């Protein structure tokens, strides 16, 4: 049976649109086998046609015999083809270099950081750095969700926040980012703004965000992933300047 994956994630930063008034988890983690989605987060031919006795006059025009050519032909040059202007090569944008790995990070943490920065580069967002402070906050909330019976819900804190969960061992740092980023296909860059269907994507690529910290916990054969972002994304009236389309135009 194909392993199932749940993505329950949110991009926090706009207050009550991400959590209940008490900031407490509002739904239990799904039982194994169920799927649930929650709020966000040119050259000419060189060969001549002239025969062996052909010569070229002073203008480079092939004739069969210079003595039999009309006088006008010897006195006046024949029109020469004008060279065609060559298109000028257009400058190509230089790819953004991959950020160097941050020392001391686990494989999952480095995968989360790298995958975030790869997709952010496509939207002209600077790479994030890993924050131990945010990772600590993420771990505290992940542990709290575990202790409350493996529930889902947002912490209601001051950071942006994305959540995800899946059967234990079925997702990793790169696939978690991919699930959140997949909401790109639902986002309207023309109108911008928050949507429960795209808030996870917009937090991932939010240009004003500079730091990330994430953590995981396991309960009831489920892996829960929590990522915190600072400054938080999804701030109303700021989408057009912080969420750019691919190509950044």
């Amino acid at each position: 049976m194909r392993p199932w994956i749940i993505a329950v994630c949110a991009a926090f930063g706009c207050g009550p649109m991400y959590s209940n008034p008490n900031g407490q988890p509002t739904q239990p983690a799904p039982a194994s086998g169920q799927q649930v989605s929650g709020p966000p987060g040119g050259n000419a031919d060189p060969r001549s046609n002239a025969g062996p006795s052909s010569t070229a006059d002073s203008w480079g025009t092939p004739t069969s015999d210079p003595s039999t050519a009309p006088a006008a032909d010897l006195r006046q040059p024949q029109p020469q083809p004008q060279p065609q202007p060559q298109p000028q090569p257009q400058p190509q944008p230089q790819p953004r270099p991959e950020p160097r790995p941050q020392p001391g990070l686990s494989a999952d943490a480095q995968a989360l950081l790298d995958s975030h920065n790869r997709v952010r580069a496509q939207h002209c967002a600077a790479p994030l750095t890993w924050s131990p402070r945010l990772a600590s906050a993420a771990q505290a909330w992940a542990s709290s969700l575990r202790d409350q019976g493996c529930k889902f819900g947002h912490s209601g804190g001051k950071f942006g926040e994305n959540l995800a969960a899946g059967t234990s061992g079925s997702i990793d740092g790169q696939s978690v980012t991919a699930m959140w980023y997949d909401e790109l296909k639902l986002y309207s860059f023309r109108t911008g703004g928050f949507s429960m269907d795209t808030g996870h994507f917009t937090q991932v690529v939010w240009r004003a965000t500079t730091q990330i910290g994430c953590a995981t916990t396991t309960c009831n054969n489920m892996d829960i992933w929590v990522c915190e972002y600072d400054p938080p994304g999804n701030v109303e009236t700021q989408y057009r300047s912080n969420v750019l389309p691919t190509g950044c135009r």
Side-chain angles (χ1 to χ4, degrees):
M1 180 178 294
R2 183 178 179 181
W4 62 277
I5 298 174
I6 316 133
V8 181
C9 35
F12 200 61
C14 299
M17 66 175 61
Y18 306 116
S19 62
N20 63 28
N22 297 321
Q24 296 301 317
T26 58
Q27 61 180 357
S32 177
Q34 295 179 335
Q35 293 187 3
V36 178
S37 62
N43 291 327
D45 190 339
R47 295 172 297 179
S48 171
N49 292 326
S53 61
S54 295
T55 63
D57 61 21
S58 60
W59 307 106
T61 304
T63 64
S64 58
D65 189 338
S67 64
T68 62
D73 289 343
L74 297 177
R75 292 195 304 269
Q76 298 180 1
Q78 298 301 309
Q80 299 297 310
Q82 297 299 313
Q84 296 297 318
Q86 297 298 317
Q88 296 298 315
Q90 297 298 318
Q92 297 298 319
Q94 296 299 313
R96 187 191 298 269
E98 285 275 348
R100 294 182 179 180
Q102 287 191 211
L105 294 187
S106 68
D108 278 334
Q110 190 67 58
L112 275 164
L113 179 62
D114 291 345
S115 55
H116 269 68
N117 287 337
R118 279 192 294 269
V119 298
R120 285 175 61 84
Q122 299 177 43
H123 299 268
C124 287
L128 302 173
T129 58
W130 187 268
S131 166
R133 174 177 61 101
L134 295 179
S136 178
Q139 188 63 69
W141 185 240
S143 299
S144 177
L145 293 175
R146 178 199 63 209
D147 296 343
Q148 297 179 66
C150 206
K151 292 182 179 180
F152 271 117
H154 287 284
S155 62
K158 62 181 180 179
F159 306 123
E161 189 171 81
N162 276 355
L163 306 178
T167 302
S168 185
S170 65
I171 52 178
D172 57 16
Q174 183 172 347
S175 60
V176 166
T177 303
M179 285 192 293
W180 294 333
Y181 183 72
D182 191 53
E183 292 176 353
L184 161 70
K185 59 192 178 187
L186 301 176
Y187 184 72
S188 172
F189 292 95
R190 184 176 61 85
T191 59
F194 176 80
S195 166
M196 297 294 284
D197 295 326
T198 60
H200 330 91
F201 155 70
T202 52
Q203 172 62 88
V204 168
V205 302
W206 195 264
R207 298 180 72 197
T209 298
T210 60
Q211 295 184 311
I212 185 176
C214 307
T216 64
T217 191
T218 301
C219 59
N220 298 340
N221 198 34
M222 297 282 297
D223 289 341
I224 299 177
W225 298 67
V226 179
C227 282
E228 306 287 346
Y229 303 84
D230 192 35
N234 289 348
V235 180
E236 289 295 349
T237 75
Q238 297 183 17
Y239 282 83
R240 299 296 293 274
S241 60
N242 279 280
V243 183
L244 303 183
T246 53
C248 312
R249 296 178 181 179

